[in-house]
Amino acid sequence: MKIQDLVRERVIANIKTGKKGPNGIPQKLPYFHVEEDKSTSSDMVDIFKKLYPGEPTKLKIRFTSENPFNFKFKRYVNGKAVCIGNGTKAITVGKDAKNNNTQIEIECNEECQHRQSGKCKLKGSLKFVLEGIEAGGVWNLSTSGGISLSNIASEIVKYKKAGMSIVDVPFELTLTEQQSLAYGTYYSIDLHRTDIKPQLTTDTIPQLTTADKQEIKVLPEENKKEDDKKDKKETKKAKVENSENTQLNEVKEETTKVESDVIEDVKKEEKSNYFKVKGFMPTLISGKKFDKIIFEDINNQDVEYILHPKANQEIIKNGVGTLVEIIEAKMEMDKNILCKYEIRQVMNPDGSMTEVNNEELKKAV
């Protein structure tokens, strides 16, 4: 074993995104939270709250290692870790020959019943220093959320692939509220480097040009009389002007055609988010009931959307024939989710349509 393998940074405090409620049940928080525990002293709690008073959702951090993010599969019983694995092997509690509890090594893979049941989860541990605090150690943030794990790992791997160091450069951790049909409200952690800004990859910036008149120079023939020169100049000048006028007319015609095509494309694009309601159908997702809406798009093709439970429900009251403009939608669990929309037309009992002038966006997630 190398001596470097025995060296590890001292954790001076834990930063959390949840805490135990009054009844002992863990509850998620919409902000970063520090409380006294085995690794966190009351002094560190006070220091954190002075730097980040209230309910902070952003932290300014720096890494002291090129590998600040570690993963482990962990299973807990009564608040204690009873199995810890790396995806190949795991250490858990077993029995020895005398039937006493002891540590044993077992396989750690996707076939594990505890992983399949969700009792064993992949947990990530991110270690860093907080800008503005000198405390002789690192802060630790643990998370088991799949989206958060992916967000953090992706940002770190991005710079590793580019051969760039992540040590002692500014990063920002953010905690944002998300909505899921399957899980309801949850909070995801994002990691972003803040000292690198988007920029062009070339020194040459392409620019749009307009059709300009081309200056055509006519060289006089030698050994000709001045009158002939003058006549030829005037003739060539007339030809040039006619040619220029012809070119300009062609440019104008082409520009008009392009503008017309663009206008048509814009009009078509503007209508691409318009859908007519053809029907409704209740559906179950993860055991919960949702409203499925069958729309007809501008190409007369059927498309299905699940109406988000927090979206405006007015569309259901107006029924079949309603024309809506979709303002915001997303994909989740391979399904189209309708989040925001505006009603543009409603169908009257006699089959005619009535325009709706409603500028207020329907409330949604």
Side-chain angles (χ1 to χ4, degrees):
M1 178 181 291
K2 297 180 180 178
I3 190 172
Q4 290 90 338
D5 297 331
L6 299 174
V7 177
R8 62 180 181 178
E9 294 172 298
R10 173 173 171 258
V11 175
I12 55 175
N14 291 308
I15 296 177
K16 304 174 182 179
T17 57
K19 65 178 181 179
K20 287 186 178 180
N23 53 4
I25 299 176
Q27 66 180 76
K28 292 292 184 181
L29 297 174
Y31 56 89
F32 293 109
H33 171 68
V34 175
E35 62 185 9
E36 205 173 334
D37 58 27
K38 290 181 180 180
S39 300
T40 311
S41 67
S42 59
D43 290 339
M44 297 310 300
V45 175
D46 293 339
I47 290 175
F48 179 83
K49 289 184 176 180
K50 287 181 180 178
L51 183 63
Y52 291 102
E55 300 180 350
T57 58
K58 295 182 179 181
L59 303 177
K60 295 184 180 299
I61 69 170
R62 290 178 183 260
F63 295 121
T64 60
S65 165
E66 298 290 355
N67 299 294
F69 200 34
N70 297 309
F71 303 88
K72 294 289 183 184
F73 284 98
K74 293 184 178 182
R75 179 167 63 91
Y76 290 85
V77 175
N78 297 326
K80 296 182 179 181
V82 296
C83 187
I84 301 176
N86 59 9
T88 304
K89 297 291 182 181
I91 300 297
T92 188
V93 177
K95 299 291 185 179
D96 60 15
K98 296 182 180 181
N99 204 35
N100 295 322
N101 289 336
T102 186
Q103 291 185 354
I104 61 173
E105 185 179 276
I106 61 173
E107 295 292 325
C108 180
N109 52 50
E110 294 180 355
E111 303 301 320
C112 172
Q113 61 176 341
H114 299 297
R115 284 176 61 177
Q116 291 181 353
S117 66
K119 293 180 180 179
C120 180
K121 296 181 179 180
L122 182 64
K123 293 185 177 290
S125 176
L126 185 68
K127 294 180 174 59
F128 50 85
V129 294
L130 283 172
E131 288 192 359
I133 296 178
E134 291 289 343
V138 295
W139 297 72
N140 178 69
L141 174 68
S142 296
T143 180
S144 59
I147 295 177
S148 297
L149 291 172
S150 177
N151 291 344
I152 296 171
S154 298
E155 182 73 359
I156 292 173
V157 169
K158 177 172 68 177
Y159 293 104
K160 282 193 173 185
K161 286 185 176 180
M164 301 172 64
S165 173
I166 61 171
V167 173
D168 201 29
V169 293
F171 281 85
E172 186 175 73
L173 277 173
T174 59
L175 187 64
T176 55
E177 181 178 320
Q178 305 288 342
Q179 293 291 334
S180 167
L181 287 181
Y183 309 109
T185 301
Y186 68 96
Y187 302 92
S188 66
I189 301 171
D190 286 296
L191 175 69
H192 296 290
R193 187 167 175 172
T194 59
D195 65 331
I196 296 180
K197 304 297 181 183
Q199 59 182 359
L200 292 173
T201 58
T202 175
D203 294 334
T204 304
I205 303 176
Q207 296 185 4
L208 297 176
T209 58
T210 56
D212 296 324
K213 291 184 179 181
Q214 296 179 353
E215 182 182 355
I216 301 177
K217 295 181 179 180
V218 180
L219 297 176
E221 294 183 12
E222 294 180 356
N223 301 323
K224 294 288 184 178
K225 293 182 179 180
E226 292 298 324
D227 291 342
D228 291 340
K229 291 180 182 180
K230 183 177 180 180
D231 291 340
K232 290 196 175 207
K233 284 183 180 180
E234 291 178 351
T235 301
K236 288 183 179 181
K237 181 179 179 182
K239 288 182 179 180
V240 169
E241 289 177 349
N242 289 334
S243 176
E244 289 176 347
N245 290 333
T246 300
Q247 291 176 11
L248 286 174
N249 288 333
E250 289 176 352
V251 169
K252 289 178 180 179
E253 290 176 1
E254 184 65 25
T255 302
T256 302
K257 182 177 182 302
V258 170
E259 289 177 348
S260 177
D261 291 342
V262 169
I263 291 172
E264 288 300 317
D265 289 341
V266 169
K267 287 182 178 179
K268 188 174 181 181
E269 179 65 26
E270 288 176 346
K271 297 293 183 181
S272 65
N273 287 336
Y274 280 60
F275 296 83
K276 182 184 290 186
V277 176
K278 290 186 65 177
F280 301 89
M281 183 183 300
T283 185
L284 289 176
I285 301 176
S286 300
K288 297 181 181 180
K289 185 179 177 181
F290 296 91
D291 291 305
K292 179 193 293 183
I293 307 174
I294 297 91
F295 288 106
E296 182 180 281
D297 64 15
I298 61 174
N299 297 316
N300 299 319
Q301 299 294 318
D302 288 353
V303 58
E304 296 180 351
Y305 278 83
I306 304 297
L307 182 63
H308 198 287
K310 290 191 177 182
N312 190 288
Q313 305 295 302
E314 193 70 19
I315 188 173
I316 298 177
K317 297 179 183 178
N318 286 281
V320 175
T322 304
L323 182 68
V324 305
E325 179 184 3
I326 293 181
I327 306 299
E328 181 180 333
K330 63 181 179 179
M331 283 291 295
E332 186 177 328
M333 302 171 68
D334 295 325
K335 300 180 187 298
N336 294 315
I337 311 300
L338 177 58
C339 298
K340 292 182 181 180
Y341 63 89
E342 284 189 2
I343 295 177
R344 294 304 184 189
Q345 292 181 350
V346 295
M347 181 177 287
N348 301 315
D350 61 359
S352 62
M353 302 297 293
T354 300
E355 297 284 341
V356 177
N357 295 320
N358 181 14
E359 296 300 326
E360 182 179 357
L361 292 178
K362 309 303 178 183
K363 293 182 179 180
V365 178

